[in-house]
Each structure stands twice: as C-alpha cells, then as structure tokens.
Amino acid sequence: MTKQFASQGDLTEKKISFTEIGRDLWAFTAEGDPNTGVIIGDDSVMIVDAQATPRLANKVIEKIRTVTDKPIKYVVLTHYHAVRVLGASAYGASETIMSEKARAMVVDRGQEDWESEFGRFPRLFQGHESIPGLTWPTLTFTDRATFYLGKRRVDLEFLGRAHTAGDIVAYVPDANVMFTGDIVEYHSACYCGDGHFGDWPATLESIRSFDLDAIAPGRGDALVGSDMVDEALDNTADFVMSTYRPVARVAQGGGSLKEAWDACREACDPKFADYAIYEHCLPFNVARAYDEALGIDTPRIWTADRDRQMWEALQG
C-alpha cells in the first residue's frame, strides 16, 4: 500500500477542548490540530490565530459565546500560514494584526502556501469555498506593539525567528500568560518547512525568561503551570535540534536528501513518532534543515509542485 502524502488520509475529526488558562484567557485546542487563543478584556475580545476557514472559525466563536457576549475587536495572527489566517473574516473584527515581516510573507508566498497546505491537509479546510481570499492585516508592527482591551493590556512581540521569520507572541501581563503560536508545541511535531533552526532555540529561551504561569501553544494541550510550560519548551527545543543535527551532518558531508531523511528518522522516530502530525511534518522538516545546513537562510517557497517532487525523492 502506497503511503499517502502529508495528512491527505487524516479524515478523523478531533475532540475540541476550551480551557481557561488564566482569568478570562482561553485556549481552543483539538488534539494536535491548530489552536486558537481567546483574550477577553473589559470591553472587547482579541483572537490569537484564526483557523483555516470561516467554518472552522465559527466553532471557536461558538465556544466564545458560552463565556462572553463582548464584541470581537482584534484578530492577531502569529504568522502567515494558511491554516492560521484564512478563517479571519468570520470574526468580524475591526482590526487584523500581523508583524510587518509576516505581511511581507503573505505578499511573497501567501497564495502558494494556501494551495500547498490545502493539498497536504484537506480536513483542515472544511468550508474552504467560504474563504474570501488571502488575509491581509489592517495593522502591522516591527518588534513590539501594545493594545488595551479596556484596562487589560496585551503586548505583541517579535522575540526572534523560529517557526517562520515573522513569528510573534501575545503576552498578557496581568495573568502572566502567553500565546505563542507555533513557536511552542506540546506533544505535536513542529512544522519546520519555513523554519529557522539556528534561531529557534534562542527564541524559546526568550519565552522561558518570562517565567510564565501558562502558555497556549500552537498545537497540543494548553500548558497550565510552570512544570508543563518548561516541559513544552524543553521538548520543542529537543524536537527542533534532533531534527536539524543529523540532517546537517549528511548535507554538509555531501549526502543526498534521502540519506538525510533516513538519518533524521533514526534520531527522531524513537522520541517523536507518536506526536501529532509527525509524519506530516517530517519531509518538510528534512528538506528545510538540509537547505539551512547548506547556507540557504531564506526558506524556499513551498508549492504543490515542489511538494510532489520532494515526496517522490524521499520515497525513492
């Protein structure tokens, strides 16, 4: 039986959880599917990451309306990936916020990413016909921006490259809680196809320096308490470097992409094979690690055609 590419065969619906991780701070999670954060202020609501389609975003809105009737004013997008941003229109927010770098990535590769991700993971694009087009921010910033939801302050910050070059986090100081997007995962594989392996560990340490009480990660369960936070930071760093090191040895030694894939599997399968979307992420992670090890700093754009060629090469 031919192995299906990425998550084309993953058709099983995931159980949704809606977990309060601080006062009026919620994490919408679904067993390794993309998470959404909810920040409820005195007068309005801020969303952190939007889901892939308006239909899926409406599942988040249903949960929100069980805890507040305040209007949704802001949608914050931690990075540019289609599964995070294309559902933004459902919230009816007056402002959509990205880093300036993330907006530039929408310009550079947003359409290609949409088409590529749609082919990789069709289940996450339920109701795709309702997507009005690429999601564009109404506000951008470079390093840091602060917003007030009444008296509640939210700091949006770029702490360094990691999952993409434009990742941001949302920090709520009064609760000491952070929404990290895909910089941090919990028992879910990191997607590194647009990643920066050399920078990612330092960005994780910047997050650790906040000494957080809770994190809503990009995928996986909400992280409540310092023990879970530290475990997730440690495991994410381990995943990233366990992926990069064996691939880099092969690439810098003149080996092939297929040899790098085999070396990565040998190092990572024993530790991470049971993580959500592990098999989905692995080919993209190996390809990006191989490029970075050879000095390619800016990740190459993924297209449906490049996906196919890469998968064929790895399957021999």
Side-chain angles (χ1 to χ4, degrees):
M1 181 177 178
T2 302
K3 181 176 173 58
Q4 289 185 291
F5 171 64
S7 294
Q8 291 175 342
D10 182 356
L11 304 177
T12 304
E13 291 297 315
K14 305 300 183 183
K15 179 183 176 182
I16 291 171
S17 299
F18 195 55
T19 306
E20 191 169 22
I21 60 174
R23 181 182 61 82
D24 291 333
L25 303 172
W26 297 81
F28 177 99
T29 66
E31 299 184 309
D33 278 359
N35 295 341
T36 293
V38 179
I39 301 170
I40 302 172
D42 301 314
D43 57 5
S44 60
V45 176
M46 176 181 281
I47 302 297
V48 183
D49 288 331
Q51 299 286 312
T53 68
R55 180 187 295 179
L56 292 175
N58 280 323
K59 294 184 178 182
V60 180
I61 294 169
E62 289 174 6
K63 293 295 186 182
I64 292 171
R65 292 305 171 220
T66 67
V67 296
T68 185
D69 60 1
K70 294 173 183 175
I72 298 170
K73 184 175 181 180
Y74 301 106
V75 171
V76 172
L77 303 170
T78 61
H79 58 287
Y80 85 101
H81 284 153
V83 292
R84 297 293 176 184
V85 308
L86 293 180
S89 62
Y91 297 97
S94 58
E95 304 293 351
T96 301
I97 307 162
M98 286 181 176
S99 71
E100 183 60 35
K101 180 60 177 178
R103 186 191 185 280
M105 295 180 83
V106 176
V107 174
D108 183 48
R109 60 188 69 201
Q111 186 65 42
E112 292 87 346
D113 178 72
W114 178 357
E115 293 167 3
S116 175
E117 290 198 52
F118 181 80
R120 301 176 197 177
F121 213 148
R123 179 173 59 77
L124 292 183
F125 288 86
Q126 298 170 38
H128 63 90
E129 64 281 353
S130 64
I131 300 169
L134 291 172
T135 298
W136 297 98
T138 59
L139 295 172
T140 63
F141 65 96
T142 303
D143 296 315
R144 178 175 175 144
T146 296
F147 294 84
Y148 289 90
L149 284 61
K151 293 181 180 179
R152 170 159 265 180
R153 176 178 134 196
V154 182
D155 294 328
L156 306 181
E157 299 188 52
F158 172 75
L159 299 176
R161 302 190 302 182
H163 175 69
T164 74
D167 296 329
I168 60 173
V169 301
Y171 176 58
V172 184
D174 69 75
N176 197 31
V177 170
M178 185 176 286
F179 299 80
T180 66
D182 286 316
I183 301 173
V184 180
E185 313 288 26
Y186 186 68
H187 290 281
S188 178
C190 300
Y191 172 74
C192 309
D194 285 317
H196 294 271
F197 290 93
D199 295 356
W200 202 324
T203 303
L204 290 169
E205 289 308 304
S206 293
I207 292 172
R208 194 190 300 272
S209 71
F210 283 78
D211 194 20
L212 298 161
D213 292 324
I215 282 177
R219 294 177 184 264
D221 294 345
L223 310 170
V224 179
S226 59
D227 288 347
M228 285 191 76
V229 167
D230 285 340
E231 179 190 355
L233 292 170
D234 291 345
N235 285 354
T236 301
D238 187 26
F239 185 96
V240 169
M241 296 316 296
S242 293
T243 299
Y244 181 71
R245 289 187 183 116
V247 173
R249 283 195 295 269
V250 172
Q252 292 167 0
S256 68
L257 186 65
K258 178 63 167 62
E259 290 169 332
W261 160 269
D262 291 338
C264 184
R265 295 209 74 120
E266 183 178 356
C268 290
D269 283 6
K271 293 193 284 187
F272 307 119
D274 62 342
Y275 277 25
I277 67 166
Y278 175 73
E279 293 292 342
H280 173 115
C281 292
L282 195 63
F284 302 97
N285 295 357
V286 171
R288 172 56 193 151
Y290 192 93
D291 279 357
E292 184 169 322
L294 295 180
I296 299 174
D297 184 65
T298 300
R300 291 189 287 151
I301 296 173
W302 289 101
T303 65
D305 188 52
R306 184 184 170 208
D307 289 355
R308 178 185 56 78
Q309 293 174 2
M310 178 264 294
W311 184 240
E312 289 175 355
L314 292 177
Q315 295 306 296

